[in-house]
C-alpha cells in the first residue's frame, strides 16, 4: 500500500517532493523520486511495505519503462509463473503490472486481480489505470501544458492545477490510444429463473467467499481484521481465522471500537470468543470525537455528514490495529452486494429495482464508502483490504437474484430478522460459521452500533452554537474542511453523496 505522484511534461522535482510529502502517511517506510532518461516524466512514491518488503521499492524502472503503483495484485505469483520468473528483478507484486504491459496483449490489464491504481511511463507514452471498483484512488489534473497524477486530492492543495478529476473505476487512460473502460460491473439479477436451486447457490456463494478471503490475505506481513460484531466483519473474521489455522498460524488479531457498553463491543467480544481470535478493543468518548474531527475531515477529503459519522469509528479502529500490524480485512461491500442498508427494505416487493439499485451503488462506492475506508486507514498508515469486493465474488453475487438478498420472511422463524430480512442468502451461506444469535442479529449501522451517534451528539453540542441539526452539523464539517485546505472548493466539488442517482422502488 502506497501513495504516489507522477508529473508528465513537467520538470519540477521540488513540486514532486512537495506533493508526495502531503501524502507521506500512505507510505511511511520509504520514499523516492525518480526520472526516466529520455522521457518527460518524474515519479515520486512513498511506500508501506506489504509484499516484497526487502526489494519492492518504487518507482520501478526497467530499461525504457517506469512504474508507480498503489495497492496489491493478489494473483502476482500466478502471473510470475506465466510471464516467466527470469524477467522479474524484485519480489514486488507491482512489478507484474510492468511485465503484463510489455507482453503486448490487447487486454493485459484485465489479467490483474486485486485492488490497484498505477501510472506507467515509456519514453513517449503514459498510461494510468484504476481497479474495477476504485478501491484505490487516483486523480489527474493539468498544469502548464502537462499533467499530474496523484493518489489523494490533498497532494494538489496549493498547486495551481486545472480540472482535477478522478480516474473512474475500471478505466485506463493511454496518452497514445485514449480512454478505455476495461471493466463494467455486471448487472444484478432480479428474480430466480425456473429450476433455480437456493441450496446450491448458497453453497457456491460460501466457496467463492472463502476463496476471496484467502486470496486477499496474501502478504509478507501479518493480516488482522476489523470486527464490529456485525454480520459482514464477523463472517470475514471467521473465515480468516480458518485460513490462518489451515496455514498453521496463530489466532487472527481482531479489532473493535465503541463507546462504553456499546452493542458492537459486546457483539464483537462474542464473535472473537467463538472463533478463537486474539481480540483487541478500545473505548472512545465524546471528547475523543471532538479531538478526532479535524483529522478525520482533512484526511477523508469530504464534509458529507454520513461519511464523517462512519469515518470516526473507522479511525479509532485503525489506530489500535496499526499499533500491532500493517494490514486488516474489512467487511466493506457486503451491503452493496447483498442489500444490507436500512433503505433496502423498501425494495422487498420490487426485486428489479433492488437489483438496479445495488448495481448503481457498487459503481459509486469509490467516492463514498471506499473513499472513507482508504483515506481514514491510510491516514494511520494501515492497509485495509475488502474481500467482499473480489472480482469473482462480485460476479457471482450479482448473478444471485435480488429477491434472495432482501427477502420477505416470517418474523417468528429462526432464520429471519423480521418481516423482511436483509442479506438473507449471505446469512444462509454462512450460518454455520457463527452462533445463530449473531447470524440473525438485526443490523446496525457502524456509527450507530459503535455508539458513535450518541458520542457525536454530545460532541456537537460543545462545538455548535444553537440547535444541533443535520444542517448545522454539515455546516460545521464544511467549515473544518475549509480551514484545513488552501483550495477547499476542489475537495468539496469532488465529494460523492449517498443518494446521487439512486434507483427508487415502485
Amino acid at each position: 500500500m502506497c501513495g504516489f505522484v507522477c508529473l508528465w511534461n513537467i520538470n519540477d522535482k521540488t513540486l514532486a517532493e512537495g506533493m508526495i510529502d502531503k501524502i507521506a502517511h500512505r507510505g511511511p517506510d520509504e520514499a523516492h523520486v525518480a526520472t526516466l532518461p529520455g522521457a518527460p516524466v518524474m515519479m515520486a512514491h512513498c511506500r508501506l511495505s506489504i509484499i516484497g518488503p526487502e526489494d519492492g521499492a518504487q518507482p520501478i524502472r526497467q530499461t525504457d519503462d517506469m512504474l508507480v503503483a498503489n495497492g496489491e495484485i493478489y494473483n502476482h505469483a500466478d502471473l510470475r509463473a506465466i510471464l516467466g520468473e527470469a524477467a522479474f528483478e524484485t519480489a514486488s507484486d507491482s512489478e507484474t503490472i510492468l511485465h503484463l504491459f510489455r507482453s503486448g496483449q490487447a487486454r493485459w490489464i484485465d489479467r490483474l486481480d486485486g485492488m490497484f491504481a498505477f501510472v506507467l511511463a515509456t519514453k513517449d507514452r503514459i498510461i494510468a489505470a484504476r481497479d474495477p471498483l476504485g478501491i484505490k484512488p487516483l486523480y489527474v489534473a493539468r498544469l502548464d501544458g502537462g499533467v499530474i497524477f496523484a493518489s489523494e486530492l490533498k497532494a494538489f492543495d496549493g498547486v495551481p492545477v486545472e480540472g482535477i478529476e478522478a480516474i473512474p473505476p475500471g478505466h485506463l487512460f493511454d496518452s497514445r490510444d485514449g480512454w478505455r473502460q476495461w471493466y463494467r460491473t455486471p448487472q444484478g439479477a432480479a428474480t430466480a429463473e425456473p429450476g433455480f436451486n437456493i441450496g446450491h447457490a448458497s453453497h457456491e456463494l460460501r466457496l467463492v467467499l472463502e476463496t476471496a478471503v484467502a486470496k486477499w490475505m496474501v502478504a509478507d506481513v501479518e493480516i488482522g481484521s476489523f470486527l464490529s460484531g456485525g454480520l459482514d466483519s464477523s463472517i470475514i473474521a471467521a473465515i480468516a481465522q480458518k485460513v490462518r489455522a489451515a496455514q498453521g498460524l496463530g489466532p487472527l488479531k481482531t479489532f473493535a471500537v465503541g463507546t462504553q457498553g456499546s452493542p458492537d463491543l459486546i457483539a464483537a467480544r462474542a464473535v472473537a470468543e467463538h472463533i478463537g481470535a486474539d481480540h483487541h478493543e478500545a473505548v472512545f468518548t465524546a471528547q475523543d470525537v471532538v479531538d478526532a474531527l479535524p483529522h478525520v475531515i482533512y484526511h477523508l477529503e469530504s464534509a458529507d455528514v454520513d461519511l464523517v459519522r462512519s469515518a470516526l469509528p473507522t479511525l479509532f479502529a485503525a489506530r489500535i490495529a496499526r499499533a500491532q500490524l500493517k494490514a486488516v480485512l474489512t467487511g466493506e461491500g457486503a451491503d452493496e452486494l447483498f442489500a444490507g442498508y436500512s433503505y433496502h427494505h423498501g425494495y422487498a416487493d420490487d426485486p428489479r429495482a433492488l437489483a438496479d439499485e445495488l448495481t448503481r451503488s457498487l459503481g459509486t462506492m469509490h467516492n463514498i464508502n471506499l473513499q472513507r475506508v482508504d483515506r481514514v486507514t491510510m491516514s494511520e498508515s494501515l492497509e485495509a483490504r475488502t474481500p467482499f469486493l473480489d472480482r469473482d465474488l462480485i460476479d457471482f453475487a450479482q448473478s444471485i437474484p435480488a429477491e434472495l438478498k432482501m427477502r420477505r420472511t416470517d418474523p417468528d422463524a429462526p432464520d429471519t430478522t423480521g418481516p423482511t430480512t436483509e442479506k438473507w442468502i449471505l446469512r444462509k451461506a454462512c450460518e454455520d460459521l457463527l452462533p445463530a444469535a449473531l447470524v440473525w442479529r438485526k443490523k446496525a449501522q457502524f456509527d450507530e452500533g459503535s455508539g458513535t451517534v450518541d458520542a457525536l451528539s454530545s460532541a456537537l453540542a460543545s462545538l455548535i452554537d444553537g440547535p444541533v441539526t443535520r444542517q448545522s452539523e454539515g455546516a460545521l464539517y464544511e467549515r473544518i474542511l475549509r480551514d484545513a485546505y488552501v483550495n477547499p472548493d476542489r475537495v468539496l466539488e469532488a465529494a460523492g453523496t449517498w443518494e446521487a442517482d439512486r434507483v427508487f422502488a415502485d
Side-chain angles (χ1 to χ4, degrees), residues 69-151:
N70 169 31
E72 306 291 348
I73 308 301
Y74 296 121
N75 63 335
H76 72 101
D78 291 341
L79 292 173
R80 281 173 175 268
I82 294 169
L83 294 166
E85 186 68 39
F88 287 79
E89 298 180 5
T90 75
S92 170
D93 58 305
S94 297
E95 191 181 345
T96 57
I97 300 170
L98 190 61
H99 295 294
L100 270 176
F101 165 72
R102 288 175 162 184
S103 71
Q105 299 173 45
R107 301 198 71 238
W108 60 273
I109 189 172
D110 187 62
R111 302 187 69 181
L112 296 173
D113 188 0
M115 55 180 189
F116 55 84
F118 66 83
V119 178
L120 190 158
T122 69
K123 286 187 177 296
D124 57 2
R125 182 180 178 193
I126 193 156
I127 297 169
R130 199 171 176 193
D131 65 62
L133 290 191
I135 300 172
K136 294 293 98 189
L138 182 57
Y139 296 91
V140 60
R142 297 181 297 277
L143 177 65
D144 297 334
V147 293
I148 304 178
F149 300 89
S151 296

Side-chain angles (χ1 to χ4, degrees), residues 256-262 264-265 281-285 313 316 446 449-452:
V257 296
T259 56
Q260 190 69 48
S262 61
D264 275 5
L265 283 182
E281 64 180 43
V283 172
F284 62 84
T285 66
F316 298 137
F446 189 25
S450 63
T452 304

Side-chain angles (χ1 to χ4, degrees), residues 11-34:
N11 184 22
D12 191 336
K13 185 178 181 182
T14 299
L15 175 60
E17 290 174 338
M19 292 183 70
I20 201 68
D21 283 347
K22 293 173 187 173
I23 56 173
H25 49 272
R26 297 188 68 91
D29 292 338
E30 57 183 322
H32 300 281
V33 179

Side-chain angles (χ1 to χ4, degrees), residues 176-451:
R176 187 189 72 184
D177 298 332
W179 285 94
R180 287 173 52 193
Q181 183 176 2
W182 64 273
Y183 177 85
R184 292 182 62 86
T185 303
Q187 182 65 37
T191 56
E193 67 273 13
F196 184 90
N197 188 302
I198 294 176
H200 291 172
S202 173
H203 179 67
E204 195 65 22
L205 173 58
R206 172 67 170 272
L207 295 178
V208 176
L209 180 56
E210 288 178 346
T211 301
V213 173
K215 182 198 304 182
W216 286 59
M217 292 181 73
V218 171
D220 292 330
V221 298
E222 183 177 2
I223 307 294
S225 186
F226 283 167
L227 181 59
S228 70
L231 180 70
D232 310 333
S233 64
S234 297
I235 288 173
I236 295 298
I239 295 174
Q241 173 70 351
K242 288 180 175 291
V243 171
R244 286 185 62 83
Q247 295 173 344
L249 301 174
L252 176 77
K253 287 185 173 68
T254 55
F255 305 92
V257 296
T259 56
Q260 190 69 48
S262 61
D264 275 5
L265 283 182
I266 296 170
R269 288 175 204 150
V271 173
E273 182 177 358
H274 180 79
I275 67 175
D278 177 10
H279 190 56
H280 306 267
E281 64 180 43
V283 172
F284 62 84
T285 66
Q287 186 58 49
D288 293 327
V289 171
V290 171
D291 295 341
L293 271 175
H295 177 95
V296 162
I297 292 170
Y298 172 70
H299 282 282
L300 183 62
E301 300 182 337
S302 175
D304 179 79
V305 169
D306 293 312
L307 217 54
V308 172
R309 288 179 177 181
S310 57
L312 286 161
T314 303
L315 173 68
F316 298 137
R319 284 178 172 170
I320 62 169
R322 187 60 179 90
Q324 304 226 14
L325 36 71
K326 289 183 173 182
V328 292
L329 304 173
T330 83
E332 218 61 51
D335 289 326
E336 288 79 5
L337 282 174
F338 297 102
Y341 290 119
S342 298
Y343 79 92
H344 288 150
H345 288 271
Y347 296 78
D349 297 319
D350 194 345
R352 179 68 270 160
L354 176 59
D356 293 344
E357 169 59 12
L358 297 179
T359 304
R360 179 206 67 86
S361 62
L362 282 169
T364 62
M365 288 189 74
H366 64 283
N367 65 352
I368 305 176
N369 271 338
L370 290 177
Q371 178 170 320
R372 167 181 57 81
V373 172
D374 174 82
R375 302 302 193 283
V376 175
T377 57
M378 290 307 296
S379 77
E380 300 299 310
S381 305
L382 179 74
E383 175 178 291
R385 298 184 172 192
T386 56
F388 273 113
L389 298 178
D390 179 80
R391 279 177 68 181
D392 291 337
L393 181 53
I394 291 170
D395 290 347
F396 189 78
Q398 286 290 87
S399 75
I400 296 174
E403 65 182 0
L404 298 179
K405 298 176 180 181
M406 178 61 67
R407 197 177 195 196
R408 286 215 168 271
T409 49
D410 178 357
D412 296 323
D415 56 349
T416 178
T417 63
T420 53
T421 298
E422 73 279 5
K423 293 187 282 199
W424 184 86
I425 188 71
L426 178 62
R427 295 174 193 271
K428 292 299 290 184
C430 300
E431 62 183 344
D432 64 307
L433 283 174
L434 302 160
L438 293 171
V439 173
W440 301 103
R441 176 192 178 203
K442 189 171 179 61
K443 176 185 173 62
Q445 299 295 122
F446 189 25
D447 54 351
E448 296 171 354
S450 63

